Each structure stands twice: as structure tokens, then as C-alpha cells.
Amino acid sequence: MKTYKTSEVAKIIGIHPNTVRFYEEWGLIPKADRKPNGYRVFTIFHIDQLKLARIAFKIEILQNGLRKKIVETIKASANGDFDKAISLAKEYLHLIHKEQKNTKEAINIAKQILYGKTSSDRLCLKRKEVSEYLNISIDKLRNWELNGLLSVKRKQNGYRFYTSVDIERLKIIRSLRCANYSLEAILRMLNAMSVNPQINMEKVLNTPKSDTDIISVCDKLILSLQEAAQNAELIIEILKDMKVKFNNPPY
């Protein structure tokens, strides 16, 4: 069985040797055997696993469980549990498709707000119902409210109720968070929109790019999600190949 040094693995993958060590430390590749002198000994399984991980983390979408799911996928593969890894990768792909749908909806809502249109629905939901309806945890809803992203009205009995306008605002917040915008930046954007829907979002966000507004942010997220979906499909095919290739340890 051919083996490799850390520097050789790093050269093959095109990364720094320390990155190889970090991936091992984080459980993204299997623990390497050691020589009597302490040097790590890698195999072709480590190399294939590193290639897989690099594809997985090429597009970094941290929010809404996507990052957690792809990390779980890579760790399952590192442990040689390819059936579990394939199942997790399919769940990851499903989550991406779900975010793509959410983001397109957020764009439509943002356009309606910009054109002065409001929702004609008459929703009146409790926090728990909103959590289930939007698949956003109650803790996250509470955190967004505490940070001023949403001001929810209360009934005479003190219970909060969420209107259709609140739901639309939450859908936009959800997509902007998925695009890795900070709560502070989102709050700035939403406050500015409530005062003047036609306001220049680039100035509001104080970002260096001139084309940054609420719609272009979501457009860019859609492109990232498209690339992530393509990578997820590739990961599933690679995992199927690895399942056959590394069926019988040692590798």
C-alpha cells in the first residue's frame, strides 16, 4: 500500500501542510497512523477524503443548518460510514433546494415592498405557529426580536401575534441571514426600507460594492446555492465511488 507524508499530501491537494493537520484534528479526514519518529502516514483514502472535503467547503453557506449538515457528511465519510455520508449529503442537497425556494420568495417580497405593495393575507399567528410555519426556531425568533429586527404586537391578554407583514419581514431576514449578513446590517437595511422603500441599500449597508441591495444580495445567494447544489450532487457521486473503492479496510 502506497503511503504519503504530510507534505506530499499537501502538495497533491494544493494546500498548506498545516491545513492537512487541521483537517485531521477536526475529524474531516481519518486519524493518520504514526511512524516511530512521530511522522504521520497517509494513504490514498486520506487524499480522496481531502478532495471530497475541499469540494464540500468550496461554497461556505453557514446558516440554517447547511454548514452543520455538510460537516456531518464529511465526518461520516472520514469514519468510513459511506451509507450514512450519502444519506446526509442527500439531506444537505434537500436543504439547499429549500433555501433556493426561500430566497426566490424573499426576492419577490422585497420587490413588492419596493413597489409599494403589501400582502393582502390576514395572518395572525402565535410564535410557536410562526416557528413551525417558517421552520425558524423559537430561540432564533426571540433573538431577532431582542435585536430589534422585528417588533411584534400583543393582544390584550399579552400574547404576541404575528401578522402577514411580520411573516414577510421574517422571510427576508431568513434569506439575508443565510447570505451571512449580520443582524446589525439587516436591521439597518430594514429600518431604512421602512422609512423609504426606494432608498439606496448600498449606502445603508455601507458595503464597498456598489451593486449591493436587498435583491442583489438574494440574487448572489441564489448563485451560491446553485453552485452548492452542483457540488452536493458531485459529492454524492464521489461518495458512491468511495464506498466501492474503500469497501474493505485497510485502505
Side-chain angles (χ1 to χ4, degrees):
M1 181 174 61
K2 183 173 175 54
T3 59
Y4 305 84
K5 300 176 184 175
T6 303
S7 59
E8 292 174 325
V9 172
K11 186 175 181 181
I12 291 170
I13 304 298
I15 56 179
H16 194 279
N18 282 343
T19 306
V20 178
R21 300 185 186 101
F22 285 137
Y23 273 43
E24 183 193 20
E25 182 182 333
W26 297 333
L28 301 175
I29 61 175
K31 283 283 184 187
D33 291 335
R34 300 272 186 153
K35 291 183 176 179
N37 59 9
Y39 287 172
R40 292 174 173 83
V41 179
F42 295 99
T43 67
I44 188 64
F45 181 36
H46 292 93
I47 292 174
D48 283 4
Q49 180 67 21
L50 272 167
K51 289 179 180 176
L52 184 76
R54 299 298 286 176
I55 294 171
F57 302 126
K58 189 176 179 182
I59 301 295
E60 288 275 15
I61 303 173
L62 307 178
Q63 303 292 331
N64 301 341
L66 286 166
R67 169 78 178 182
K68 182 180 178 183
K69 188 65 69 179
I70 195 61
V71 168
E72 290 175 350
T73 302
I74 299 305
K75 286 187 174 180
S77 176
N79 290 329
D81 191 345
F82 298 111
D83 285 330
K84 182 179 179 181
I86 291 169
S87 176
L88 288 168
K90 289 179 178 177
E91 291 176 19
Y92 173 67
L93 182 58
H94 175 72
L95 284 177
I96 292 172
H97 288 156
K98 196 173 176 182
E99 288 305 327
Q100 287 175 315
K101 182 181 176 184
N102 290 342
T103 306
K104 288 176 182 176
E105 186 180 17
I107 289 175
N108 289 332
I109 292 170
K111 286 180 177 176
Q112 287 178 3
I113 294 173
L114 292 173
Y115 294 137
K117 298 179 181 177
T118 57
S119 173
S120 58
D121 294 338
R122 293 289 181 267
L123 289 176
C124 181
L125 302 178
K126 297 176 183 176
R127 181 182 276 168
K128 185 174 184 296
E129 294 171 329
V130 172
S131 173
E132 294 171 353
Y133 180 62
L134 297 179
N135 195 26
I136 300 172
S137 71
I138 289 178
D139 285 344
K140 193 172 287 183
L141 287 172
R142 189 180 291 118
N143 182 43
W144 291 353
E145 290 170 31
L146 287 173
N147 280 279
L149 296 182
L150 190 69
S151 180
V152 183
K153 296 178 181 175
R154 291 177 183 265
K155 293 181 177 179
Q156 288 183 339
N157 58 11
Y159 288 136
R160 292 178 175 82
F161 68 97
Y162 295 73
T163 66
S164 304
V165 173
D166 295 330
I167 299 299
E168 289 185 341
R169 190 176 174 101
L170 284 169
K171 288 178 178 177
I172 291 176
I173 295 169
R174 179 178 59 187
S175 288
L176 292 174
R177 285 296 291 152
C178 190
N180 296 330
Y181 273 83
S182 69
L183 297 182
E184 183 182 2
I186 295 171
L187 178 61
R188 229 177 15 248
M189 180 186 296
L190 293 175
N191 285 344
M193 278 187 68
S194 64
V195 175
N196 178 12
Q198 303 300 323
I199 199 165
N200 185 330
M201 288 299 168
E202 184 269 336
K203 291 182 179 178
V204 174
L205 285 166
N206 194 26
T207 55
K209 297 180 180 178
S210 60
D211 60 344
T212 302
D213 60 36
I214 196 166
I215 294 176
S216 64
V217 165
C218 291
D219 280 339
K220 289 175 184 173
L221 176 58
I222 282 183
L223 292 176
S224 296
L225 289 167
Q226 285 175 347
E227 190 170 350
Q230 292 170 356
N231 289 343
E233 291 170 355
L234 178 59
I235 286 168
I236 292 170
E237 293 306 311
I238 292 174
L239 285 170
K240 290 177 180 175
D241 291 341
M242 290 176 72
K243 180 182 175 182
V244 175
K245 186 175 180 180
F246 303 115
N247 187 37
N248 296 311
Y251 313 119

